[in-house]
Amino acid sequence: MRLLLSLLLLSYLAAASLSAPTNQVRWCVKSDKEYRKCLDLVTKAPVFSCVKKDNSLACIEAIKEGEADAITLDGGDIYIAGLENYKLHPIIAEHYGDSSEGCYYAVAVVKKGSGFGIRDLRHKRSCHTGLKKSAGWNMPIGTLLQLGIMQWEGIDDSTIEDAVGKFFSSSCAPGAQRNSSLCRNCKGDCSRSHDEPYYDYGGAFQCLVDDAGDVAFVKHLTVPVEEKAKYELLCKDNSRAAIDDYEKCNLARVPAHAVVTRQDKDLANLIWDSLMGVQGFELFSSKAYAPDKNLMFKDSTKKLVLLPNNTDSVVYLGLQYMDIVRSLNKEITPSKSKAMTWCAVGHEETKKCDTWSLNSLAKKKDKIACESAPSVEECLKMIMRKEADAMAVDGGQVYVAGLCGLVPAMVEQYDKEKCSIPDADASSYYAVAVVKKGSGVTWANLRQKKSCHTGYGRNAGWNMPMGKIHNETRDCDFTKFFSSGCAPGAPAGSPFCSQCVGDGKDVDNTAKCKPSTEELYYGYAGAFRCLVEGAGDVAFIKHTIVEENSDGKAEGWAKDIKSSDYELICPEQSGSVPITEFESCHMGITPAHAVVTRPETRDDVVSVLLNQQSVFGRDVSNSIFTMFESKPYKNLLFKDSTKCLQEVPKGTDFKSFLKTNYMATMTSLRECGNTVTDLEKLCTFHTCQ
């Protein structure tokens, strides 16, 4: 019996070692020709091995189960790979040359002289790269629905495949049901692999060439140079254009294909290093395997680009792409209850949000649900993924949210009189530099002092002062300017974490420098406390903070503070001035905090918040909960100085909301790569949308 158990254990360990090798990259391929290319690669780079599956989904499942490690996928498959069932991540993107910026155009190609426009496609024959692929399915079908050319009532009426099958007279859409009209014009088995001759870009174009279809939905680089004169593009305005006019005449601009794998940093590094180490083999050519094209990688690829750490499918594809894919899968359904999920940062914000949620139920108002995350950036990711709907952030965070495709829906108003004026100007506030009275600290001698910041990348606490300092010094290394400081959220090990204190209770001090209320020096009041308690020589905060936390207006650490013990220092003046002179002594005027959300949920978020503040707003009598109070804490969920929330005009993007001067400051500061947050890097890796 003991021998049998030993043999079983050895068998299990052997199987485990085979399923998860630590020194090999098992590439998943989908056809015999692709398998041949992969085997040829192995002869030049033995670090690779090959795993053959029937299609992309089978490869995705194999990677998830640890039977394979990597595959290059298009956007539609990247979306599927990122779903909860699989949790794969894009790690490396194809790049198609300087002009494409890591993106490509989805286009509709037709024969010159065939005499119809995009609005005449009903009952025509169509050629698709593959079911649920980007250029061949998601973008064209999504465009036809958005333009009202094709009708679909949703999954309760029919599947999207059925709707497309009824719209076109016949098609080749590899991967569709083989007995459907979507497979009728295919040349082979209609499989979503190179075993079907009309699969992928080259196959869909060949379908058009062979007169098996009237239109081919492909990428902009598909038509061979020598054939371009015979073909044209269909434009969304119902006109036609030459093949090379794809920048003006296209269906969408979408992210490049990308290599996906499991969420394993060591594996990702191995895949990247292995690909970079390939010598004597053309990764981006399929000529040796003609007529098949785009084997393992697209033949138009010029190079591979490593994606920032923690890139997921939602961030990589972008909200516009995700919106189209979700609509084709009918993930977005009309909300009848107008429930809204708020994202809270840290323990205390989550407690306040839970109280809000319970009171909204008691008042039988729109349901408020709560999710939490350790930082604003993680909350923004949750909103992008539809795991939450909204949160209030400062201008610097509105900037990052906007780069990620989110929009400002409502703005905090700090002037009570303007709450009754529907089109009142949005609030703003002054970013100021506060020092202790008599300290001798001035703007001119700030160098090598200790600094207190509301948070890394935040408005008054980071962007405004560091923007000023960068303009003066042209040096992006701010650790050379300040000796140390506390800027919660700064990179681990940074001198801007050394003066932070954490929560004051945690033995391991894991809360130190966290960008949440768990760090006592986080936020406006926290940065002021950092100055008060001697951890810094200057605090970069909002102009009202000293007044709000002194002269008996605050409890706890601030109850004995006198506002007269503090002064402002001015970038354009020597010396210091009283804190009341902020209008003439400040670093800049910054936009008020705003509620951000996804574009498609903007109207519901506005409706819910207007309803909520009618019950839990500042001036509502006998309310057991107030949205804009955080006692005994400060500025939880909203700033405590908020008098009301006002709607941001519909259609306002983040650039219009932040205005020209603020955008100029942010642009200047972006010259310093070390000040760009991880999320901003993810959202600006490509500019496809």
Side-chain angles (χ1 to χ4, degrees), residues 25-29 34-35 38 41 48-52 59 68-72 92 259-260 271 275 296-297 304:
V25 176
R26 297 164 298 171
W27 205 272
C28 198
V29 297
E34 205 166 42
Y35 189 57
C38 185
L41 169 64
F48 290 97
S49 61
C50 310
V51 177
K52 185 175 179 293
C59 279
D69 298 316
I71 186 175
T72 308
I92 300 165
V259 177
V260 302
I271 294 169
L275 288 170
M296 298 183 70
F297 297 93
L304 298 176

Side-chain angles (χ1 to χ4, degrees), residues 161-334:
E161 290 91 342
D162 286 341
V164 175
K166 291 176 182 177
F167 180 81
F168 294 110
S169 63
S170 58
S171 307
C172 179
Q177 291 289 331
R178 294 183 182 180
N179 60 352
S180 73
S181 66
L182 292 177
C183 282
R184 188 176 302 155
N185 297 349
C186 290
K187 196 172 184 178
D189 61 1
C190 196
S191 65
R192 201 167 175 270
S193 75
H194 290 283
D195 292 333
E196 164 55 58
Y198 289 164
Y199 170 71
D200 206 11
Y201 302 107
F205 178 61
Q206 192 62 44
C207 167
L208 176 65
V209 171
D210 292 347
D211 200 31
D214 302 306
V215 59
F217 299 113
V218 292
K219 64 173 281 229
H220 71 286
L221 297 173
T222 302
V223 182
V225 174
E226 63 274 13
E227 297 289 312
K228 287 181 179 180
K230 301 177 185 177
Y231 297 91
E232 292 178 313
L233 303 178
L234 297 184
C235 310
K236 288 193 280 189
D237 64 1
N238 212 41
S239 65
R240 289 189 175 206
I243 292 295
D244 287 334
D245 285 342
Y246 52 81
E247 290 189 14
K248 295 180 180 177
C249 179
N250 62 74
L251 305 179
R253 195 165 184 236
V254 295
H257 291 204
V259 177
V260 302
T261 189
R262 297 179 296 280
Q263 194 171 9
D264 180 329
K265 188 175 181 181
D266 291 336
L267 177 58
N269 290 337
L270 174 63
I271 294 169
W272 171 252
D273 291 341
S274 301
L275 288 170
M276 292 300 99
V278 172
Q279 294 182 348
F281 185 81
E282 294 187 54
L283 279 175
F284 313 135
S285 174
S286 305
K287 287 181 180 178
Y289 316 95
D292 288 10
K293 298 180 179 180
N294 304 310
L295 302 178
M296 298 183 70
F297 297 93
K298 278 163 65 176
D299 295 344
S300 55
T301 304
K302 302 299 182 187
K303 62 180 180 179
L304 298 176
V305 180
L306 185 65
L307 296 174
N309 290 332
N310 302 316
T311 301
D312 63 21
S313 58
V314 175
V315 173
Y316 180 72
L317 295 173
L319 289 190
Q320 291 182 30
Y321 188 98
M322 291 297 296
D323 190 25
I324 289 174
V325 177
R326 286 167 175 158
S327 68
L328 293 178
N329 287 281
K330 273 292 176 263
E331 287 186 30
I332 297 175
T333 54

Side-chain angles (χ1 to χ4, degrees), residues 333-581:
T333 54
S335 175
K336 295 179 181 178
S337 63
K338 288 190 178 177
M340 180 180 71
T341 301
W342 198 266
C343 195
V345 178
H347 179 66
E348 298 304 332
E349 277 207 348
T350 303
K351 281 173 59 179
K352 179 179 177 180
C353 190
D354 289 340
T355 303
W356 183 12
S357 178
L358 290 171
N359 279 279
S360 70
L361 288 174
K363 291 287 186 178
K364 297 182 178 180
K365 287 291 182 182
D366 299 325
K367 182 182 177 183
I368 300 296
C370 301
E371 288 287 349
S372 64
S375 68
V376 170
E377 289 207 347
E378 289 303 316
C379 267
L380 294 178
K381 288 183 184 178
M382 291 181 72
I383 295 171
M384 294 170 68
R385 296 187 196 113
K386 295 186 69 183
E387 297 166 359
D389 294 316
M391 72 180 305
V393 295
D394 81 357
Q397 294 155 343
V398 170
Y399 178 86
V400 174
L403 292 174
C404 294
L406 303 181
V407 295
M410 300 201 81
V411 60
E412 294 179 348
Q413 177 59 258
Y414 310 128
D415 186 337
K416 183 177 179 180
E417 293 181 1
K418 291 184 178 180
C419 285
S420 58
I421 305 173
D423 298 322
D425 292 336
S427 280
S428 57
Y429 58 91
Y430 295 91
V432 296
V434 180
V435 298
K436 290 181 178 178
K437 191 172 185 177
S439 66
V441 176
T442 68
W443 193 272
N445 64 17
L446 268 184
R447 192 179 289 273
Q448 292 306 303
K449 298 294 190 295
K450 296 178 296 181
S451 55
C452 301
H453 307 262
T454 59
Y456 190 72
R458 291 195 58 174
N459 237 10
W462 185 269
N463 296 331
M464 301 308 288
M466 297 323 206
K468 288 281 186 186
I469 290 168
H470 175 248
N471 283 336
E472 293 173 9
T473 65
R474 308 313 299 176
D475 190 342
C476 291
D477 187 355
F478 299 120
T479 62
K480 294 178 183 175
F481 191 89
F482 291 108
S483 62
S484 60
C486 179
S494 165
F496 289 109
C497 281
S498 62
Q499 297 299 322
C500 297
V501 292
D503 60 12
K505 304 174 186 175
D506 192 342
V507 175
D508 297 325
N509 214 13
T510 57
K512 183 172 181 175
C513 208
K514 286 182 67 174
S516 76
T517 52
E518 293 175 60
E519 164 59 61
L520 296 179
Y521 291 168
Y522 173 72
Y524 297 107
F528 181 46
R529 181 175 182 175
C530 167
L531 172 67
V532 169
E533 296 181 352
D537 302 304
V538 59
F540 299 112
I541 52 180
K542 173 194 169 199
H543 71 281
T544 62
I545 297 304
V546 176
E547 181 187 359
E548 292 169 6
N549 291 274
S550 61
D551 303 330
K553 296 177 184 175
E555 302 170 3
W557 65 271
K559 65 183 178 65
D560 296 325
I561 293 173
K562 295 180 180 179
S563 61
S564 58
D565 290 337
Y566 297 88
E567 297 177 315
L568 304 180
I569 57 174
C570 322
E572 285 81 26
Q573 303 174 28
S574 59
S576 56
V577 300
I579 61 166
T580 54
E581 295 187 21

